[in-house]
Amino acid sequence: EFYRYNPVAGRWDTLPEVPYGGNAKKYDKGSFLVYDGVNYIYAHQSKYYDKTQENPHHYMFKYDVAADSWYKTALPGMPVYGLEGGRIKKKKSADGAAGVWYGGNLYALKGGNTQGFFKYFPGADTWHQLDTVPGNGSFGKKKRVKSGGDLVAYGGGAFFALKGNKCYELWRYFEPAGTCGSPLAANRSGVQTGFKAERSGFRVSPNPLANGWAVLRYSLPKPGPVVVTVFDVAGRAVQQQMLAANRAGAVALDLRKLASGVYLVRLDASDLTQTQKLVVQK
């Protein structure tokens, strides 16, 4: 069911029902609406996803406010796979999920007792995972985003998030200027958890790589833009990813398109260029 409140008439108007993905005829805990501020409303259907996809996403649908109609074709919702605790894990979006529109893109917490924070680019119809919500905070024990989680955009690249999950933690995420409109990863302000190296560098794990999902952990002389390029044995660039990196952190790499073989992964930052050999075994 989908309704619009008419403040002039003081009543609720019934609108066309929200489409749903697959056989899931309901919007469960964690589903949310986001308005782009112009003409479209996005309805994200949590919990359910297309299990036939190689890289499964939840379902998402777009509503045209001016035409009072839904686009019947589903858009890709948040990815099911994402970085959790330094590893790629399969986690569904669920209670505590929340979305907000900022700078022409959609930002969302995955919820469902996860640390996932994602960004949707409507022009490219793609999602990128941003830095994960910290697990350890002021509450004294590890807490992930669950029931009661919420997200707001403050402006200037700043976002505020509640974890919910029976804790009182409030976190601020900051996206560097210039990255809001481009498909780049980003960094957060606040407590940095996970990998910290004594000197600058990076590593990709697991290595050898079997399932196609890798985690790149890095430590840089200073934060800034980074390019990660994968080369085959002939020296050809077969994949490239850009990100706006913090001093230290971790990002997910989707390398499932790589065939079995030996590759070189090169990280290029303003004050650092380093290469690592990666073996892919399928």
Side-chain angles (χ1 to χ4, degrees), residues 123-200:
D125 208 17
T126 58
W127 288 82
H128 286 222
Q129 183 168 18
L130 305 180
D131 203 1
T132 52
V133 180
N136 296 306
S138 60
F139 197 66
K141 58 183 178 180
K142 193 167 187 177
K143 288 283 187 176
R144 299 182 175 91
V145 180
K146 205 174 179 182
S147 300
D150 205 359
L151 179 70
V152 296
Y154 177 73
F159 300 82
F160 291 85
L162 287 172
K163 281 186 182 179
N165 200 4
K166 299 180 180 179
C167 78
Y168 40 73
E169 291 180 19
L170 175 67
W171 288 86
R172 181 181 63 193
Y173 172 90
F174 179 73
E175 189 166 39
T179 65
C180 294
S182 305
L184 307 178
N187 64 307
R188 67 167 179 261
S189 62
V191 177
Q192 177 68 45
T193 62
F195 170 74
K196 290 186 178 180
E198 295 181 355
R199 59 181 183 178
S200 300

Side-chain angles (χ1 to χ4, degrees), residues 16-36:
E17 291 188 352
V18 186
Y20 56 86
N23 295 321
K25 300 181 180 180
K26 57 185 177 181
Y27 280 69
D28 213 321
K29 302 180 185 71
S31 299
F32 57 82
L33 294 175
V34 175
Y35 175 49
D36 71 355

Side-chain angles (χ1 to χ4, degrees), residues 131 192-196 216-220 246-251:
D131 203 1
Q192 177 68 45
T193 62
F195 170 74
K196 290 186 178 180
L216 183 147
R217 295 177 172 84
Y218 63 85
S219 179
L220 303 175
N246 203 352
R247 285 287 303 273
V251 294

